Amino acid sequence: MRFDLDDDLAHARRHVRTFAQERIAPIAAQLDAEARYPRETLRAMGEMGLMGVATPERYGGSGMDVLAYVTFLEEIAAADASHATLMAVTNGLPQKMLLDHGSEAQREAYLPPLASGRQFGAFCLSEPQAGSDAAALRTRAVRDGSGYRLRGVKAWVTAGGEADLYLVLAVTDPDAGARGISAFLIPADADGLSFGAPERKLGQHAAVTTTVRLDDVFVPDADRIGREGEGFVAAMTSLDGGRIGIAAQSVGIARAAYHHALAYADERIAFGRRIREFQGVSFPLAEMATRIDAARLLVQRAAWAMDRGYRVTKEASMAKLHASETAGFVTDAALQVLGGAGYTRDHPIERYLRDARVTRIYEGTSEIQRVVVARQIVRELERGELT
Amino acid sequence: MIDFSLGPTQKEMQGLARRFARDRIAPVAAQHDRDASYPTDVIDEAARLGLLNLRVPEAQGGLGLGVLDEAIVGEELAFGCMGIYTVLMASDLGVTPLVLHGSENQRDRFLTPLVGGGARLAAFALSEPDAGSDPAAIRTRARREEGGWRLNGRKMWISNGALADFTVVFATSDPERGAAASVALVVPADADGLSWREVHGKLGQRAAPTFEMILDDVHVPEDHLLGEVGDGIRIALSTLDQTRVPVAAGSVGVARRALHEASRYATERKAFGKPIAQHQAIAFKLADMEIRLQTARWQTWHAAWLADAGEPCGHHAAIAKAYASDAAFESASEAVNVLGGYGYVDAYPVAKLLRDVKLNQIYEGTNEIQRLVIARRVIREAEA
């Protein structure tokens, strides 16, 4: 058992950290204030190989593993959570679904532009009335000659209106529940595809979120990923990786908040001493450090297991649950260390707090992660596989 | 004897404040939050209805209400918007030092103009850029001069500030002697050398303007001094002992709003074939929110009752302030999760609850300072 990163990855991490701190961190507050999609820095991330980290080199990716991916994602998130979300979205389902379930022709056509960051991918699953409960999806895909007509509204689409390619889940057989849902790739300029105004969110303003409207959008058979009816199950399996990504992002945000609070507590004087010398401050800092370490280890364990081909449903949900709750705790406790100063935009902590809040919601709320973990542990109990 | 019932006047005030919050505050809260704009019309009407400067004594033409009355009203107003309530609450924070420590003459001069005609505000200036939780470290200097005092320094985080008719400023007449040389001086808005800088970019409570106060050779006459030289910190702390109760009450209002929004959504939104309120993961959250709400309200009202009875209330006010604001933050955060994605966008009011109530854990003494106050007494009792 080893807990250190190998030299190549440690070196790459330093490289990504330098980029994130020099190029992204200085503009994060401005992007937040303007709710601006950060096209230039995303392109630079693509050139660094960060937009297809685990996609094989033959499809234009960096050919690294999930451990590398979460390591880089933490670094980006420590500079700006919105960049990390955008990185996670395009690295995630669009590429993962193509790799796991796409045909060779689809992979060759779609992966290189995505993995190199020349194009940006988005994922459309949730609907206004259906989030955690996918069986309630209403977007329909109806057979039309050599393809389908898609009609419906998707909600909470990150990079909606900005992305070049949309992975959309739609119902092909309304009587088959989760097994009646198929996955389709739709280019941004498809007829009938339109986007709502950006949502006004609590945080992660630069990771623009919109609704996506499908008005009889035609999708040829060639752009359906996998077999008809397999889209939902395939997406759910691929979501495991997505959850590890959100967990890594949570660790990054928490780390940034913790470092800021620690530096402040080292400088700020009250009652004649640096406030870090008071246990009222040093204990919360110790708690932050402990929880962040535990969260990162859960992330690395899940990534490690995924790299070895294990099923990581439980491990991914545990990592996401713990890391996102940690980010909530840490950003709040860090803000409290700064007091009134932390409540203003003179310091980045209030942004970290706003940005972190959604990690307990997207890619399955914390409540849904508990559902997943509970289901898995009951299964282990029934099989006599408790660890 | 213990009696948990409200009197007829209190019920009337509660009903008035509840209707005002529902009809006048809640509908405009999101807009003032988004624009960070001062709610002129709301404050004007609150003044007309007698919901502003509740603590101005009857002798000065006010309602002379107590801390419990203020807590009852405060919960209702904060249900509508914590930021807008802060404008009203912070004015009573400026009024309270005069109620507790002003001479009859000082009260007549400064408090009488606050009531009976339009919205007139007061403010309270204790914190400085480099001294918040540690008031003995204040650097703002008050020097004696012909006919009064000359003030120099900077004060931070002043709610109402530039909009107030006067600000009670805490300063030191001798930095070497700390609290023993502290003074409380009433600084009128039109004093020469007084200027304000608005604090921008607050996380929440954006309807309540916050200022930095710059005192540059500000002269105030001798009779603007509250109490004696050396009383400043004591006046500040005894004020805060009482005014932390309204902060707690505002937190209770936010906690109640969080439960209100979460329970309404949870009974409508369906997942896995039934309203999400029927799933225990959500139902238990609602139950916990209700437990916190009830507990926080009774802590708050108990502290208020002690203050009104003339009993020492600092310990219980600290408990109420820390507990209620922590409870409200937790409930607001849980409400966000009950609403999921909708909780994260400003089309619904719950994300704002979270941003707003974070400040309740900070102002009028951070919750860490409340714990310090509470722990001191626990330790003192154990040692005695």
Side-chain angles (χ1 to χ4, degrees):
Chain A
M1 195 176 276
R2 293 184 47 174
F3 288 96
D4 56 345
L5 300 182
D6 68 40
D7 290 346
D8 286 349
L9 183 52
H11 178 77
R13 177 173 65 174
R14 275 196 298 278
H15 186 52
V16 174
R17 178 175 296 184
T18 303
F19 169 81
Q21 292 303 319
E22 289 179 0
R23 293 283 306 278
I24 297 177
I27 61 171
Q30 191 66 27
L31 293 171
D32 173 66
E34 295 170 5
R36 185 156 55 83
Y37 182 79
R39 203 177 302 274
E40 298 80 19
T41 34
L42 291 174
R43 189 169 303 128
M45 286 166 67
E47 284 160 11
M48 291 174 72
L50 291 172
M51 292 312 197
V53 176
T55 297
E57 287 172 272
R58 69 178 179 284
Y59 299 120
S62 298
M64 299 176 85
D65 57 13
V66 180
L67 183 62
Y69 170 61
V70 296
T71 302
F72 301 154
L73 201 51
E74 178 186 325
E75 294 304 326
I76 299 296
D80 177 42
S82 290
H83 276 80
T85 291
L86 293 164
M87 172 179 162
V89 163
T90 195
N91 268 281
L93 266 284
Q95 294 184 55
K96 186 79 177 125
M97 286 274 284
L98 279 164
L99 282 168
D100 292 349
H101 305 281
S103 65
E104 193 53 36
Q106 286 173 329
R107 290 179 197 167
E108 283 171 8
Y110 289 114
L111 279 173
L114 288 176
S116 62
R118 277 179 285 126
Q119 285 195 4
F120 202 91
F123 178 54
C124 310
L125 168 61
S126 287
E127 298 180 3
Q129 78 299 335
S132 299
D133 178 9
L137 293 184
R138 291 193 195 141
T139 296
R140 280 297 308 272
V142 179
R143 172 56 66 189
D144 180 9
S146 60
Y148 301 82
R149 291 273 169 198
L150 269 65
R151 174 180 274 277
V153 178
K154 293 293 181 180
W156 316 120
V157 178
T158 305
E162 300 285 353
D164 307 282
L165 195 63
Y166 295 81
L167 175 63
V168 177
L169 293 190
V171 178
T172 39
D173 180 357
D175 300 324
R179 303 206 172 267
I181 295 167
S182 308
F184 303 92
L185 278 176
I186 303 178
D189 58 3
D191 283 340
L193 191 69
S194 60
F195 308 96
E199 304 283 356
R200 286 192 305 244
K201 299 185 293 181
L202 178 62
Q204 299 213 7
H205 294 165
V208 172
T209 306
T210 69
T211 53
V212 173
R213 191 177 187 87
L214 301 121
D215 287 314
D216 290 329
V217 175
F218 181 77
V219 184
D221 282 340
D223 287 343
R224 189 192 68 232
I225 303 183
R227 279 200 290 270
E228 200 172 273
E230 286 184 351
F232 186 72
V233 177
M236 285 302 115
T237 331
S238 302
L239 268 183
D240 289 348
R243 286 176 176 164
I244 304 173
I246 300 307
Q249 176 191 38
S250 306
V251 172
I253 302 170
R255 188 185 90 195
Y258 156 65
H259 283 172
H260 195 87
L262 188 59
Y264 184 86
D266 189 50
E267 285 173 9
R268 172 82 176 187
I269 309 286
F271 306 104
R273 287 191 277 170
R274 293 165 195 268
I275 60 170
R276 67 163 162 74
E277 295 174 39
F278 294 103
Q279 288 187 338
V281 173
S282 66
F283 279 25
L285 288 168
E287 186 72 27
M288 291 180 217
T290 305
R291 291 200 198 187
I292 290 168
D293 235 31
R296 185 184 291 114
L297 286 166
L298 280 174
V299 171
Q300 291 175 335
R301 192 266 304 251
W304 172 88
M306 199 168 167
D307 284 331
R308 272 145 198 82
Y310 298 130
R311 183 121 196 255
V312 294
T313 302
K314 183 183 75 171
E315 288 76 7
S317 279
M318 283 178 163
K320 200 245 175 199
L321 174 62
H322 183 73
S324 62
E325 297 286 333
T326 292
F329 167 80
V330 170
T331 52
D332 180 44
L335 194 155
Q336 197 70 20
V337 168
L338 273 74
Y343 199 69
T344 68
R345 286 191 204 147
D346 294 345
H347 291 265
I349 305 256
E350 61 88 28
R351 173 165 53 85
Y352 297 151
L353 182 140
R354 289 187 285 108
D355 287 350
R357 191 61 187 78
V358 77
T359 61
R360 285 145 78 184
I361 295 172
Y362 59 16
E363 303 237 4
T365 61
S366 288
E367 291 67 35
I368 290 298
Q369 306 310 322
R370 290 185 176 95
V371 169
V372 171
V373 172
R375 198 182 286 145
Q376 296 296 321
I377 59 183
V378 168
R379 202 167 287 166
E380 288 174 9
L381 176 72
E382 287 169 353
R383 289 177 185 161
E385 291 172 355
L386 278 182
T387 49
Chain B
M1 192 195 89
I2 292 182
D3 181 354
F4 289 101
S5 61
L6 300 184
T9 318
Q10 287 169 330
K11 283 187 185 153
E12 209 174 292
M13 291 291 291
Q14 186 181 45
L16 173 72
R18 184 169 297 181
R19 287 190 299 278
F20 182 69
R22 185 193 58 205
D23 299 339
R24 299 304 312 273
I25 298 180
V28 300
Q31 193 61 44
H32 286 294
D33 173 62
R34 195 171 299 145
D35 305 342
S37 57
Y38 176 75
T40 311
D41 295 348
V42 178
I43 305 300
D44 284 350
E45 191 169 345
R48 263 199 301 284
L49 292 171
L51 295 170
L52 177 62
N53 299 323
L54 299 177
R55 298 213 59 198
V56 173
E58 287 177 86
Q60 277 73 40
L63 294 172
L65 295 182
V67 182
L68 179 57
D69 303 318
E70 205 186 348
I72 291 164
V73 169
E75 175 184 328
E76 299 304 329
L77 300 177
F79 182 92
C81 174
M82 188 61 222
I84 291 176
Y85 173 51
T86 284
V87 175
L88 305 169
M89 185 178 83
S91 191
D92 264 330
L93 173 62
V95 165
T96 302
L98 280 143
V99 173
L100 297 180
H101 304 281
S103 66
E104 202 59 24
N105 182 270
Q106 286 172 328
R107 286 190 219 166
D108 286 343
R109 284 180 48 210
F110 297 116
L111 297 184
T112 305
L114 292 185
V115 289
R120 312 294 288 269
L121 302 175
F124 177 94
L126 176 61
S127 286
E128 297 181 359
D130 296 311
S133 299
D134 181 8
I138 56 176
R139 288 282 159 268
T140 294
R141 189 69 197 276
R143 287 187 179 81
R144 274 207 184 275
E145 65 179 12
E146 182 69 32
W149 296 85
R150 189 153 43 102
L151 281 159
N152 280 288
R154 284 162 67 206
K155 290 289 178 181
M156 197 61 190
W157 315 121
I158 320 298
S159 297
N160 296 343
L163 307 180
D165 281 11
F166 67 82
T167 302
V168 178
V169 173
F170 298 89
T172 178
S173 59
D174 180 357
E176 302 291 299
R177 292 170 54 228
S182 61
V183 293
L185 289 161
V186 181
V187 177
D190 58 3
D192 283 341
L194 172 63
S195 59
W196 301 92
R197 191 176 302 143
E198 189 164 358
V199 174
H200 290 291
K202 285 194 300 177
L203 176 62
Q205 300 209 10
R206 292 159 51 84
T210 307
F211 297 87
E212 181 177 1
M213 181 186 211
I214 297 121
L215 297 144
D216 186 11
D217 277 336
V218 172
H219 172 83
V220 291
E222 182 61 44
D223 60 1
H224 284 218
L225 176 71
L226 299 181
E228 308 285 330
V229 172
D231 284 348
I233 295 297
R234 193 175 59 84
I235 292 173
L237 297 182
S238 61
T239 297
L240 290 169
D241 278 351
Q242 295 207 350
T243 58
R244 280 166 183 160
V245 177
V247 177
S251 308
V252 173
V254 174
R256 197 177 99 211
R257 182 68 180 272
L259 175 58
H260 175 80
E261 297 296 335
S263 56
R264 206 169 56 169
Y265 183 86
T267 48
E268 286 167 7
R269 170 83 177 196
K270 290 195 174 65
F272 308 104
K274 50 185 175 179
I276 59 172
Q278 298 300 327
H279 295 287
Q280 284 191 340
I282 302 299
F284 285 10
K285 280 186 204 298
L286 299 178
D288 280 333
M289 290 164 87
E290 170 70 358
I291 292 168
R292 285 191 291 264
L293 168 62
Q294 294 289 339
T295 310
R297 181 185 290 135
W298 290 114
Q299 287 297 339
T300 303
W301 288 8
H302 179 225
W305 174 83
L306 285 172
D308 289 339
E311 300 282 335
C313 67
H315 178 70
H316 288 89
I319 291 173
K321 194 268 189 188
Y323 182 80
S325 58
D326 285 351
F329 185 78
E330 181 70 20
S331 287
S333 183
E334 288 290 68
V336 170
N337 252 61
V338 170
L339 271 75
Y342 293 105
Y344 198 68
V345 294
D346 73 359
Y348 286 77
V350 298
K352 175 177 173 295
L353 299 179
L354 183 76
R355 288 188 287 106
D356 284 351
V357 85
K358 180 71 226 170
L359 186 54
N360 294 39
Q361 295 175 301
I362 295 170
Y363 61 12
E364 302 208 21
T366 64
N367 284 359
E368 290 66 33
I369 291 299
Q370 309 308 319
R371 288 182 169 84
L372 211 59
V373 169
I374 296 160
R376 262 188 214 136
R377 163 147 160 188
V378 171
I379 293 162
R380 204 166 53 231
E381 285 176 355
E383 286 171 349

